[in-house]
Amino acid sequence: MKILVIDDQQLVLLSLKKKLTEAGYTVETAACIQDGIRLFDTFSPNLVLVDMNMPEMSGRILENCTGKEVVKYIRMFRSSQVPIMVLSGNTSESLILENFKLGITDYLKKPVGLEELLARIGKTIGFPNESDKVLQRSSRQVLGKHCVGVVIPCYNEAGRLNAEVFKDFAFNNLGYHLCFVNDGSSDNTLEVLREIRRGNEDHISVYNCPVNGGKAEAVRRGMLHLAKDSQFDYIGYLDADLSTDFRDFNELVRTLEDSTFKIVSGSRISRMGADITKESARKIISKSINLIIQSILGMPFKDTQCGAKVMKRDLVRKMFSRPFVTKWLFDVEIFMRMKSEFGQKDAIDFICEQPLKRWKHADGSKLSYKDSLRIFLQLFKLSWVYRKKKAGRVTHNVLQPDQKTVPNFLT
């Protein structure tokens, strides 16, 4: 039994081909409509699985482009009744009805569990041998509504990285790609990251910076690297200790999916029903810092420093093209850059501060109490630099890495 999968996102193609092949199907994939149509004629599939959000026949990427051309080609031009199943994050009733009028067999709304997808395929064209075992093994895997890249900066994290949590998340969330950035660690963090990646190469990568440049630079490089890949709809970052866990990060992504926001930022503000744990002294320092940040920003956000944020891919280059002014306060500077780019009113409208349901302070944090006190001085430095920038008297030079500091992407 042969299946043709057409989708412009490699994460989806790789995931579906692997799982459908494991289920016993013969699978071919296409990353554009033109290749999909060509393969339909040469491969003669028993079923076509197509994403509805695909580039049009002209090859141009349009804001509201669809893959309906594939359906039209099969049903109208080829007069074929081969089953066509549509995968889409678009849940518009009118679009679904339009597709059924064109002659599709089934419409699956993302996110969709792999078990459900395989069950629908099996009901439509039959099950290969022993695919019931594949269904049981894959029951937790989900194909997301969008493809998301996540940068995870790491400096001497060998003793704190929870390898199984990262592996499990990458295996079960097929629309995610985790990019670990090794920030010149002096321990065996790089070896640990390589081991986490082993067997998960499609969904986990390691970006190695030979020299420690600080968290701000590690995140910046990782974000810019992922932004080069057009398959990602959203790109964010998360702390390696998972003080904000993947459940809350998923919630940030869902908020971005269903809104006009450009950035969704986690907030660790204590509230009823949330499990937010901080040391008492750290909590006092955090509140003091946040009050100063609110005063400098002139914006109503209460926790800019939370290490969990996700944004639309087209925003990444605007926010991360220049090195950050300070070592610890790059999160604040992102808010300042948003204000500079869009103006205060629009920046406030484009940023969503979403309270986390849980957050745990992890032992071994790289930020000491002495560093916390230094942040007060860095805040005034940041305020001064952006005042000068607003006045047009300061320019930022983009870092030109030399041979010692250029990162290596491990493929």
Side-chain angles (χ1 to χ4, degrees):
M1 298 178 187
K2 298 188 292 186
I3 298 177
L4 172 60
V5 183
I6 309 173
D7 197 297
D8 62 334
Q9 294 176 309
Q10 284 297 317
L11 271 178
V12 174
L13 289 179
L14 291 169
S15 299
L16 289 179
K17 183 169 185 176
K18 180 180 179 182
K19 301 309 173 184
L20 292 174
T21 301
E22 286 177 356
Y25 296 103
T26 301
V27 182
E28 288 286 351
T29 63
C32 67
I33 288 174
Q34 292 91 333
D35 288 346
I37 288 174
R38 177 181 55 78
L39 275 171
F40 177 81
D41 290 334
T42 58
F43 182 55
S44 301
N46 301 106
L47 180 141
V48 175
L49 188 62
V50 60
D51 177 24
M52 199 38 50
N53 298 314
M54 290 278 291
E56 302 238 9
M57 285 293 290
S58 64
R60 294 178 300 160
I61 304 297
L62 303 177
E63 185 177 352
N64 296 311
C65 61
T66 71
K68 287 187 292 185
E69 285 75 15
V70 173
V71 181
K72 291 177 182 177
Y73 178 83
I74 294 172
R75 291 289 185 257
M76 299 177 186
F77 187 76
R78 286 299 182 192
S79 299
S80 171
Q81 294 306 307
V82 66
I84 303 172
M85 298 177 67
V86 168
L87 277 171
S88 178
N90 193 326
T91 58
S92 166
E93 184 177 352
S94 60
L95 177 64
I96 295 172
L97 291 174
E98 182 183 358
N99 275 274
F100 275 109
K101 287 178 182 178
L102 287 173
I104 68 168
T105 308
D106 202 353
Y107 192 105
L108 287 81
K109 302 175 184 178
K110 295 180 184 177
V112 60
L114 195 62
E115 181 181 19
E116 178 185 348
L117 174 61
L118 289 175
R120 287 176 182 257
I121 290 174
K123 184 177 181 180
T124 303
I125 63 172
F127 290 101
N129 294 333
E130 298 187 358
S131 61
D132 58 325
K133 295 181 181 179
V134 176
L135 288 177
Q136 293 172 4
R137 204 165 55 239
S138 306
S139 59
R140 293 176 57 197
Q141 292 184 296
V142 175
L143 193 62
K145 190 173 180 180
H146 292 91
C147 283
V148 184
V150 186
V151 172
I152 303 167
C154 301
Y155 176 66
N156 291 349
E157 297 284 358
R160 295 202 304 166
L161 285 167
N162 193 330
E164 292 308 312
V165 171
F166 290 115
K167 289 180 181 180
D168 186 63
F169 182 83
F171 178 80
N172 288 306
N173 295 271
L174 302 178
Y176 273 84
H177 182 92
L178 307 183
C179 178
F180 291 94
V181 179
N182 177 48
D183 186 24
S185 298
S186 58
D187 64 0
N188 65 328
T189 293
L190 184 57
E191 288 71 25
V192 171
L193 295 178
R194 285 172 172 163
E195 185 57 35
I196 291 174
R197 184 173 186 258
R198 196 184 311 278
N200 299 279
E201 288 80 4
D202 293 341
H203 296 275
I204 296 177
S205 58
V206 179
Y207 191 93
N208 184 40
C209 300
V211 178
N212 175 247
K215 181 180 178 181
E217 185 62 12
V219 171
R220 190 180 80 89
R221 288 186 181 275
M223 294 289 286
L224 288 174
H225 174 76
L226 289 184
K228 295 175 184 176
D229 193 336
S230 62
Q231 73 172 314
F232 296 119
D233 301 299
Y234 311 132
I235 303 174
Y237 55 92
L238 195 62
D239 288 337
D241 60 18
L242 293 178
S243 48
T244 300
D245 69 18
F246 281 118
R247 290 171 294 175
D248 271 303
F249 192 84
N250 253 329
E251 291 297 324
L252 302 185
V253 171
R254 290 194 186 103
T255 297
L256 195 58
E257 287 176 336
D258 300 324
S259 70
T260 58
F261 297 124
K262 293 183 181 293
I263 297 178
V264 180
S265 176
S267 173
R268 300 160 295 180
I269 302 302
S270 298
R271 62 188 176 88
M272 186 178 295
D275 183 10
I276 308 295
T277 304
K278 295 183 184 180
E279 297 174 19
S280 57
R282 186 176 293 269
K283 187 182 296 186
I284 294 171
I285 293 173
S286 294
K287 285 185 177 180
S288 302
I289 290 173
N290 287 336
L291 286 173
I292 296 173
I293 290 172
Q294 287 182 57
S295 175
I296 291 172
L297 278 179
M299 300 165 80
F301 303 109
K302 299 188 184 329
D303 185 17
T304 59
Q305 291 302 96
C306 180
K309 291 179 174 61
V310 63
M311 63 190 69
K312 295 184 176 179
R313 184 178 67 88
D314 59 5
L315 189 64
V316 171
R317 188 152 294 278
K318 293 179 180 178
M319 296 298 106
F320 291 88
S321 61
R322 303 188 308 273
F324 292 101
V325 172
T326 66
K327 182 178 180 180
W328 298 113
L329 298 174
F330 73 98
D331 295 276
V332 179
E333 197 165 348
I334 290 172
F335 284 70
M336 287 183 160
R337 290 179 179 185
M338 285 291 290
K339 184 177 177 180
S340 177
E341 178 73 24
F342 299 105
Q344 181 170 315
K345 182 180 182 302
D346 285 344
I348 292 172
D349 291 338
F350 288 151
I351 301 171
C352 171
E353 186 177 42
Q354 180 164 306
L356 302 174
K357 293 179 180 176
R358 55 196 75 79
W359 187 85
K360 302 287 185 183
H361 169 67
D363 292 335
S365 173
K366 305 299 185 301
L367 187 64
S368 67
Y369 290 113
K370 184 182 288 187
D371 289 326
S372 297
L373 296 175
R374 288 173 182 162
I375 284 177
F376 288 105
L377 295 176
Q378 292 186 17
L379 277 170
F380 290 110
K381 177 183 177 182
L382 196 58
S383 176
W384 179 83
V385 167
Y386 272 82
R387 280 201 199 116
K388 291 286 188 180
K389 185 176 184 296
K390 186 176 180 180
R393 292 193 292 270
V394 170
T395 59
H396 293 275
N397 296 318
V398 176
L399 181 65
Q400 299 295 329
D402 57 27
Q403 200 165 8
K404 293 181 180 179
T405 60
V406 63
N408 301 311
F409 184 57
L410 304 180
T411 58

